Amino acid sequence: MVVPQLVQILRTLVTTGYSTEHSISGVSDPFLQVQILRLLRILGRNHEESSETMNDLLAQVATNTDTSRNAGNAVLLETVLTIMAIHSAVGLRVLAVNILGRFLLNNDKNIRYVALTSLLQLVQSDHSAVQRHRSTVVECLQETDASLSRRALELSLALVNSSNVRAMMQELQAFLESCPPDLRADCASGILLAAERFAPSKRWHIDTILHVLTTAGAHVRDDAVANLTQLIGEAEELHTYSVRRLYSALAEDISQQPLVQVAAWCIGEYGDLLLEGNCEETEPFQVEEEDVLALLEKVLQSHMSLPATRGYAITALMKLSTRLRGDNNRIRQVVSIYGSCVDLELQQRAVEYNTLFQKYDHMRAAILEKMPLVERRDPHVKEGGKEKQTEAQLLEVTAPAPTEPQATKLLDLLDLLGDTSEPLSSGHAQYLPPQAPSPGETLIHLLDLPCAPPPPAPIPSVRVFEREGLQLDLSFMRPLETPALLLVTATTTNSSKEDVTHFVCQAAVPKSFQLQLQAPSGNTIPARGDLPITQVFRILNPNKAPLRLKLRLTYNHSGQPVQEIFEVDNLPVETWQ
């Protein structure tokens, strides 16, 4: 075993030192120290005895290395990475995170960037230790360097939880108002995802989304409008509050298209509540029917309004025809005007609404009733915006390093393991036929040579997902030297006629397992069955418990974003026994 020898060499370098010609900035041969630490990291990974041998030395290096020079910082960084890669003691891991926290206070931007990147990699496995440096991370949001502020944003979003969501959202919303344009989309999406997962109340959730739409409405995700309308529809006790807040926001600014769409929808659905009187939770103001109609007409006539926004506005006007007490002639006239609109969708709506006024007026009130609530299909979305603690305690998530920094992907991963009681979108896994043994394997089996034990029987592959030509297969291998370790290779192919882009596969396992996701071979799957994407999952199962996987796939296909979340719970018994 070479670990004791390497430990002794490194201890000699740290304590006694070599000749002065190998000393750089007071650090004894930092190049040799870095190489030894990298080798120890490889030897100690998934090897408890070797990890225990080097624990004391790593603590000694972490506490005795001079950090006044870059040479010492380089040695310290390799020490931190080694501590996090092996089976180190809890106190040693906390020490490593604290070292990275000190790096955040360094004047060198490169060192701060390395610290933020390293903490981002550790936030899933050592969340509480990284959480202690939250205030320093938030301060890094104000960095003038774009790469630093982006890393700080990703880490800040990853640190949001149910106990600090109010404070963190205040910091992130303040950053959203002043952040560079290239970060605004990531910041807005991250805030919306964190609010959806950790919202302490429905009203807080609605206020948070409204603030994002008001501040950066043009940069939010495409589903932000649908999510907010669903949230408002579910919160019946907040209908009056919501419609008055949205009316006020729309009266101030009609340039933010998602905000205008939500406001038009809400006014159309609950316009009667807008006119009934004041709400105790909002500033008192009086709204007249003429004011509401004039505001929606302003939206229709504005050059900033998208065709979809005009569709929301004319539908809102039509719904108000059954909710307002005054004469509907003004609404009829507006609808008739847009019956000759050049936009086909808007013209069709106007013609149909005009027919409803004329030929089917007796049915208009019934047809334009309030929209029923649509049941959410995503299994990870909880009613009322709150997560179920039982599921959060049962399972934990480990995310792969993304090929490009995207805060949306980081917070989306935190939401993978939701309620498993909902039906899964991809159904049960289907077994694929195992590969036939090679002639060499058959010969060894026949001769039964004592010097070469027969290899284990191959584990059958599993097809876990298939949709519109996209297929995901899992193949398995258990190394003989580490029976508790399972190597899962996820192979994704695309037989459709169009490429699949921005493909990301994320996974989760129960807490009794340890999961490490290696980087995928790419994020674009060529059409017609060309080169597939492969990604390796390393799953450690020391208790030999039945294996459960939960997968989340996000990708773009045919110009449309797709998201699939499903559970794989009928894997072959050979994967865990």
Side-chain angles (χ1 to χ4, degrees), residues 492-528:
T492 311
T493 56
N494 175 23
S495 60
S496 67
K497 297 181 180 180
E498 297 188 20
D499 292 349
V500 171
T501 60
H502 299 88
F503 181 84
V504 176
C505 177
Q506 300 162 329
V509 294
K511 279 192 173 181
S512 59
F513 295 74
Q514 294 182 20
L515 172 64
Q516 179 186 19
L517 273 66
Q518 297 185 356
S521 59
N523 65 352
T524 299
I525 315 174
R528 297 180 177 86

Side-chain angles (χ1 to χ4, degrees), residues 154-275:
E154 295 171 358
L155 184 54
S156 298
L157 291 169
L159 288 175
V160 177
N161 58 28
S162 55
S163 61
N164 64 22
V165 62
R166 291 181 182 272
M168 287 296 292
M169 285 298 104
Q170 289 181 357
E171 298 286 352
L172 290 169
Q173 288 175 12
F175 175 68
L176 179 63
E177 296 177 358
S178 59
C179 71
D182 57 332
L183 286 181
R184 188 157 292 184
D186 287 342
C187 185
S189 297
I191 291 175
L192 293 180
L193 287 168
E196 183 177 352
R197 177 168 171 79
F198 300 110
S201 65
K202 289 183 178 180
R203 177 180 170 180
W204 181 92
H205 193 181
I206 292 173
D207 288 342
T208 300
I209 299 179
L210 286 180
H211 184 273
V212 173
L213 293 181
T214 305
T215 307
H219 297 85
V220 300
R221 305 173 306 173
D222 293 338
D223 61 347
V225 173
N227 287 344
L228 182 53
T229 55
Q230 175 77 15
L231 179 64
I232 293 174
E234 291 174 348
E236 185 175 355
E237 69 280 5
L238 296 175
H239 285 173
T240 303
Y241 172 78
S242 301
V243 71
R244 295 184 72 84
R245 281 289 312 274
L246 283 164
Y247 177 84
S248 299
L250 184 61
E252 294 178 4
D253 183 14
I254 63 171
S255 63
Q256 303 286 0
Q257 295 302 289
L259 175 67
V260 177
Q261 293 172 11
V262 175
W265 178 89
C266 197
I267 291 172
E269 291 295 318
Y270 313 117
D272 51 337
L273 300 178
L274 183 62
L275 303 175

Side-chain angles (χ1 to χ4, degrees), residues 389-396 417 420 509-512 548:
Q389 298 297 331
T390 55
E391 280 296 315
Q393 294 170 0
L394 174 64
L395 300 169
E396 69 178 356
L417 294 173
T420 56
V509 294
K511 279 192 173 181
S512 59
R548 293 167 54 201

Side-chain angles (χ1 to χ4, degrees), residues 10 13-14 27-37 61 75:
L10 187 56
L13 286 171
V14 174
V27 180
S28 297
D29 206 337
F31 295 102
L32 180 57
Q33 289 194 48
V34 166
Q35 294 301 323
I36 292 175
L37 287 167
V61 176
V75 173

Side-chain angles (χ1 to χ4, degrees), residues 138-433:
V138 171
E139 291 177 2
C140 293
L141 289 172
Q142 307 304 324
E143 291 282 354
T144 55
D145 187 277
S147 57
L148 280 174
S149 57
R150 180 177 292 277
R151 276 289 185 264
L153 173 62
E154 295 171 358
L155 184 54
S156 298
L157 291 169
L159 288 175
V160 177
N161 58 28
S162 55
S163 61
N164 64 22
V165 62
R166 291 181 182 272
M168 287 296 292
M169 285 298 104
Q170 289 181 357
E171 298 286 352
L172 290 169
Q173 288 175 12
F175 175 68
L176 179 63
E177 296 177 358
S178 59
C179 71
D182 57 332
L183 286 181
R184 188 157 292 184
D186 287 342
C187 185
S189 297
I191 291 175
L192 293 180
L193 287 168
E196 183 177 352
R197 177 168 171 79
F198 300 110
S201 65
K202 289 183 178 180
R203 177 180 170 180
W204 181 92
H205 193 181
I206 292 173
D207 288 342
T208 300
I209 299 179
L210 286 180
H211 184 273
V212 173
L213 293 181
T214 305
T215 307
H219 297 85
V220 300
R221 305 173 306 173
D222 293 338
D223 61 347
V225 173
N227 287 344
L228 182 53
T229 55
Q230 175 77 15
L231 179 64
I232 293 174
E234 291 174 348
E236 185 175 355
E237 69 280 5
L238 296 175
H239 285 173
T240 303
Y241 172 78
S242 301
V243 71
R244 295 184 72 84
R245 281 289 312 274
L246 283 164
Y247 177 84
S248 299
L250 184 61
E252 294 178 4
D253 183 14
I254 63 171
S255 63
Q256 303 286 0
Q257 295 302 289
L259 175 67
V260 177
Q261 293 172 11
V262 175
W265 178 89
C266 197
I267 291 172
E269 291 295 318
Y270 313 117
D272 51 337
L273 300 178
L274 183 62
L275 303 175
E276 284 181 356
N278 295 326
C279 175
E280 295 180 357
E281 298 171 324
T282 60
E283 295 183 4
F285 61 90
Q286 188 65 35
V287 181
E288 301 294 338
E289 292 185 8
E290 294 295 324
D291 300 331
V292 179
L293 298 179
L295 184 57
L296 291 175
E297 289 180 21
K298 182 180 178 182
V299 172
L300 282 170
Q301 297 167 5
S302 173
H303 68 279
M304 295 181 291
S305 295
L306 299 173
T309 306
R310 290 190 172 96
Y312 276 94
I314 198 168
T315 301
L317 281 172
M318 193 64 188
K319 291 212 167 191
L320 288 177
S321 69
T322 65
R323 289 156 175 74
L324 301 183
R325 296 179 295 271
D327 191 4
N328 290 326
N329 287 331
R330 183 173 180 177
I331 297 176
R332 288 173 183 247
Q333 293 173 2
V334 174
V335 171
S336 299
I337 292 173
Y338 284 89
S340 57
C341 179
V342 294
D343 182 82
L344 184 60
E345 171 70 21
L346 195 58
Q347 180 189 115
Q348 181 177 351
R349 290 195 187 202
V351 169
E352 292 173 351
Y353 292 158
N354 192 48
T355 304
L356 193 60
F357 265 126
Q358 296 174 357
K359 190 174 181 180
Y360 302 100
D361 193 61
H362 61 285
M363 301 172 56
R364 180 164 50 87
I367 293 175
L368 298 175
E369 286 183 353
K370 293 180 180 179
M371 291 289 292
L373 291 180
V374 179
E375 184 179 356
R376 299 197 187 197
R377 293 179 296 174
D378 290 351
H380 63 281
V381 177
K382 311 298 188 303
E383 183 179 358
K386 294 184 179 180
E387 60 179 1
K388 292 186 178 179
Q389 298 297 331
T390 55
E391 280 296 315
Q393 294 170 0
L394 174 64
L395 300 169
E396 69 178 356
V397 180
T398 304
T403 56
E404 58 181 0
Q406 292 189 7
T408 302
K409 296 177 184 177
L410 289 172
L411 283 174
D412 266 348
L413 181 56
L414 295 176
D415 217 15
L416 265 178
L417 294 173
D419 188 1
T420 56
S421 62
E422 295 287 337
L424 302 177
S425 59
S426 64
H428 296 290
Q430 301 173 356
Y431 287 110
L432 300 179

